Amino acid sequence: MALPPVGRLAVALLLAVVTLGLLGAARQLRPVPYGDRLLTAGPVTGTWAARVRDGVVAAHDSRTGALRWRYARAGHRPVDVVHARGEAIALWDDGLLTATDGRSVRWHRALPDAAEWLPAQGGAGVLRPLGRGILAVVAPRRVTAYRTADGDLRWVLPARDGCAFLPEGAVRRGAALLLAQPCADAAWTGQLVALDDLGRIAPGRTPLGNGSPAPAPRGTGGGKPLARPR
């Protein structure tokens, strides 16, 4: 027997409610990307300092010492953390690089071939802030530089053939980072590399636009705005 219009409407509404409930439950059961677990323990205001402690990145108020937030990843542990413009950038034991301001995890980046060197290296000397919003990640085979504002890859410097960078063998001299690159058959001058936020320091190099990306200008017409001349 066919249902009256009112009955058909009631059945349709009931099915819609059940469907929405199932979709909501599916979203609740869906795993968090990268296993992120960020717990805010207080207002994320003022200044704070983050450090690795008990398998998590914990941030405490710089004045009172009160816990502000804790950041963990399921099944992984942080090996080092550095500060950059109000954010904590952490290196994890699976080679993942993350940035958080205590309110959200803003970006994730996977380091190349980290499984080959990170277990033995750990976090000693790997994360090297270069200033002007650039972070260098020093691995034996290469140095990769990321913009801290959004995790954008800015440049890569590979080690010379037969050589390897020593992440822990680096010192700051003003704006430059002097990085050891031991080689078996090279003079000592070839075993030391000077870096800054633009990459390897060398005469006549081409400057990079490492600043934060500017909002796209609004054009008056329907076409795309022209790029500014370089």
Side-chain angles (χ1 to χ4, degrees):
M1 182 176 63
L3 292 175
V6 175
R8 288 197 297 269
L9 179 60
V11 171
L13 290 175
L14 179 61
L15 290 175
V17 170
V18 171
T19 301
L20 289 174
L22 291 175
L23 289 175
R27 282 194 292 267
Q28 293 293 331
L29 294 174
R30 185 172 54 189
V32 178
Y34 305 102
D36 290 336
R37 296 175 179 174
L38 181 60
L39 172 64
T40 301
V44 186
T45 58
T47 58
W48 44 260
R51 62 176 178 170
V52 175
R53 184 175 183 181
D54 298 329
V56 303
V57 178
H60 293 81
D61 187 282
S62 300
R63 183 176 59 86
T64 66
L67 179 67
R68 286 293 176 242
W69 52 264
R70 290 163 52 93
Y71 173 38
R73 291 182 56 228
H76 299 286
R77 61 181 181 82
V79 296
D80 195 15
V81 63
V82 296
H83 291 264
R85 294 186 176 184
E87 295 182 341
I89 300 180
L91 173 63
W92 299 79
D93 59 0
D94 60 348
L96 196 69
L97 201 65
T98 64
T100 178
D101 57 5
R103 300 177 179 87
S104 64
V105 184
R106 302 189 63 246
W107 50 262
H108 304 76
R109 295 293 181 269
L111 300 184
D113 53 49
E116 300 179 13
W117 58 269
L118 190 56
Q121 176 65 38
V126 174
L127 304 183
R128 298 284 184 171
L130 295 178
R132 299 184 183 180
I134 299 297
L135 174 74
V137 181
V138 183
R141 293 185 181 179
R142 67 184 63 84
V143 180
T144 52
Y146 299 89
R147 186 165 54 201
T148 58
D150 54 7
D152 187 66
L153 177 64
R154 303 310 301 155
W155 50 264
V156 178
L157 176 66
R160 290 178 53 190
D161 291 341
C163 310
F165 293 119
L166 288 181
E168 68 277 16
V171 294
R172 292 301 300 260
R173 288 293 182 269
L177 178 72
L178 304 181
L179 179 61
Q181 182 187 223
C183 302
D185 56 353
W188 71 269
T189 52
Q191 301 184 46
L192 194 64
V193 178
L195 306 173
D196 63 10
D197 61 301
L198 300 179
R200 184 167 187 171
I201 298 175
R205 63 183 178 176
T206 302
L208 301 173
N210 285 336
S212 299
R218 293 184 178 180
T220 56
K224 295 182 178 179
L226 297 176
R228 288 180 293 182
R230 296 183 178 179

